[in-house]
Amino acid sequence: MAARTLDGGPLGDNYDSVAKLFHWLIAVLVLVTIPAGVTMLEVGPGPVQNFLFILHKGIGTTLILLVALRILWRATHPPPALFGIPDWQIRASKAVHHLLYVMLVVMVVSGYFRTVAGGYPIELLQWLGIPPLMGKNKTVEDIALWVHFIGANVIGALIAVHVGAALHHLLGRKDHVFWRMWPGRG
């Protein structure tokens, strides 16, 4: 059933439960891995740093699959139409969403190559019996590290824009947009 304005007019449908699951699962994982990634570089060597590196790499490995599945789902299940929103906001929303998908892939791939080219293990992939795609390579490691660092800043900015827009719709416009992706709303 379509969401309605206060006067009963149609506004657009909510996302389906699979899209919501992918959105919130990826959001939680990204919001855990960012502080883990920052903190693992700040703490000294030891068990806390080891745990954070393994956590960060494990989440990255999980995100490889989830992002691929989310992109496939999105390609085969277009998002519901928006009504009552200015065209420029719809275009901006699509651009931010597409850039978030691209940056999630960039972050996962650059993190993977930074790790394996540095000669470090990705424990979850080892546990699954998946060998690294390449051996140690300082040039690839350095490029991947640079891409991962720049990508972290870009994805951080995109997340800020995304959350800011969601809050604008929730608190400023007080319209249906925020609730379209909220779990349990349908």
Side-chain angles (χ1 to χ4, degrees):
M1 183 165 112
R4 303 268 173 204
T5 62
L6 293 176
D7 66 356
L11 282 173
D13 292 326
N14 292 322
Y15 283 85
D16 63 69
S17 58
V18 174
K20 290 179 184 183
L21 177 66
F22 280 134
H23 175 271
W24 289 106
L25 187 55
I26 290 171
V28 167
L29 291 174
V30 167
L31 293 176
V32 169
T33 199
I34 290 171
V38 171
T39 305
M40 72 189 190
L41 300 174
E42 300 295 324
V43 299
V48 172
Q49 186 182 58
N50 292 341
F51 169 77
L52 291 172
F53 267 103
I54 292 168
L55 176 67
H56 190 76
K57 293 183 291 182
I59 290 173
T61 301
T62 304
L63 284 171
I64 292 169
L65 177 61
L66 290 175
V67 169
L69 290 172
R70 183 171 185 189
I71 290 170
L72 179 62
W73 186 262
R74 179 75 181 255
T76 58
H77 297 80
L82 272 171
F83 302 102
I85 305 298
D87 285 343
W88 73 267
Q89 286 185 4
I90 293 172
R91 285 191 306 276
S93 172
K94 286 179 181 180
V96 168
H97 281 94
H98 287 112
L99 286 171
L100 277 167
Y101 289 129
V102 167
M103 290 312 301
L104 285 168
V105 171
V106 166
M107 292 304 291
V108 168
V109 170
S110 64
Y112 173 84
F113 281 106
R114 182 271 181 254
T115 302
V116 298
Y120 303 104
I122 298 179
E123 291 79 4
L124 183 54
L125 292 179
Q126 284 183 338
W127 181 76
L128 293 171
I130 301 171
L133 294 177
M134 66 179 306
K136 198 168 181 172
N137 182 317
K138 181 70 172 146
T139 303
V140 171
E141 178 188 15
D142 290 345
I143 292 169
L145 180 59
W146 180 81
V147 169
H148 203 68
F149 174 77
I150 298 298
N153 289 287
V154 171
I155 204 165
L158 289 169
I159 290 169
V161 168
H162 182 68
V163 170
L167 291 174
H168 167 72
H169 285 283
L170 176 66
L171 303 172
R173 289 182 57 121
K174 297 180 181 172
D175 60 19
H176 70 292
V177 172
F178 177 87
W179 299 109
R180 289 163 34 105
M181 187 55 84
W182 195 253
R185 301 283 291 228

